[in-house]
Amino acid sequence: MNAFAIGPGRAREKAGARGPSRFEAAVGSTPSGNGAAAEGPALETRNMNIRYGEHLAVRDLSIAFQRRKVTAIIGPSGCGKSTALRAFNRMNELIPGASTDGEVLFHGVNVYDRDVDPVELRRRVGMVFQKPNPFSKSIRENIAWGARINGYKGDFDELVENTLKQVALWDEVKDKLKQSAYALSGGQQQRLCIARAVALQPEILLMDEPTSALDPMSTAKIESLLDELKRRYTIIIVTHNMQQAGRVSDRTAFMLNGDLVEYDDTKTMFFNPKDERTENYISGRFG
Amino acid sequence: MTTRIQFNEELNRLHHDIMAMGARVEEDLRKALEALRTGDTGLAKEVKAGDEVVNAMQVKIEDQAAMLIATQQPVARDLRELVTVFKMTDNLERIGDHAVHLAKAARRLADDPYPRPLDRLQRMASTGCEMLHQAVTAFLARDEAMARAAAARDDEIDAEHKAFIDEVLAYLAANPGKAQQATRLIATSSFLERIGDHVTNVCEAVVFMATGVHVELNE
């Protein structure tokens, strides 16, 4: 059972919205929309262009992300991969001068439609950033707070425990839930941030270089976690670490200068890519 | 900008070593062939000594390749190339072993000469040498077509092998007291036939390296 009373959500309530949101209407009665019966891609872009002012950062991107798979987006700095990632839940809107056209389809709804609530979108399509950014609150509140403001009506102790167990952090923090999240190590903080996103019962987790600030052991824990999390969530991860993309992802997309060059099963991309530019990049011959 | 200079240099060094190993095996095979032709038992000892060098080369090359995998994390074509290196050395080493077997058989046959010409065995050995040379060249040139062409010649060896066995069986029927000699002759022909199979394995590995696709050549 989903204990979220997600419906309008605060933003929609404030805006005086009535009735089901676009996503609820599209998904039906399953608030998380993450049911096994769901078919088709978890998220799809069609002819998406993203500009920063005059600069075209992502050009004509059409890509479909498979449900409950880990998809890695790789490419050299400035290729547009993080920009594309942020467009999937409209985080780019928070950047002055950024504009997006084309479509980002989630449950068949273009997330850029005017009546789509970005707050609800970001609950359903969560994001984990490069550097751990826990709230200046207790470990428990880092999990509970977001759920509370998103209308969670269930048992918060249960939510905190279950969520921390999902990210393999429970055993390490169960006796210090009231301590500040800042007391945790970097790797633990990042797992807490993943837990914070997971607590909102998203369908998709966007991860922007989630381990680049972590040591190898913490990185290994997050990578193991991804393998567990993909049973429930669709994961799209941007990474500079080629070996990480090879280890954790089912599908890999290679971007270069704003273009999607190649997109295929990870094993094909790393063993027998079709495009010479992919071959050269993953072999470390440029970038 | 050229990157991965060290890795490229190490790959080049591996290429050189594979070429040297291939040349050494080819040389041993030619010596065994000569021993078979002339009955020169001294050559058989040289082939045995050569095989020890080949075995040492295999260990060195495989250690280098493993080190590159561990330290350079190759992917795509680079990784396929290193995987192919292991297949190459494994098969080259086996060909080296067969050259030794061939040289030993030549020594025994010298003690009890076969009264007919050994043309078929000579042709098999000669074709095997040419195939081997071509297969190693195909690896160095990453040339799929050349690898396929080299492997195709295995049919020539197989045909000679079959014809030679028929010939020896006919000889044995006419000379029932020559069973041991006939067995040695058939074993010798089988070593040469196996050399063709090992070169075919090398060729399959080269096609895989070049294309990423596993193939069965000469099924």
Side-chain angles (χ1 to χ4, degrees), chain B residues 167-178:
Chain B
E167 179 190 316
V168 172
L169 289 177
Y171 167 73
L172 182 60
N175 303 277
K178 290 289 186 182

Side-chain angles (χ1 to χ4, degrees), chain A residues 238-258:
Chain A
V238 160
T239 178
H240 263 124
N241 183 331
M242 222 72 68
Q243 282 72 43
Q244 178 170 75
R247 283 192 299 265
V248 305
S249 71
D250 303 291
R251 306 266 298 167
T252 298
F254 170 55
M255 291 183 68
L256 185 64
N257 299 329

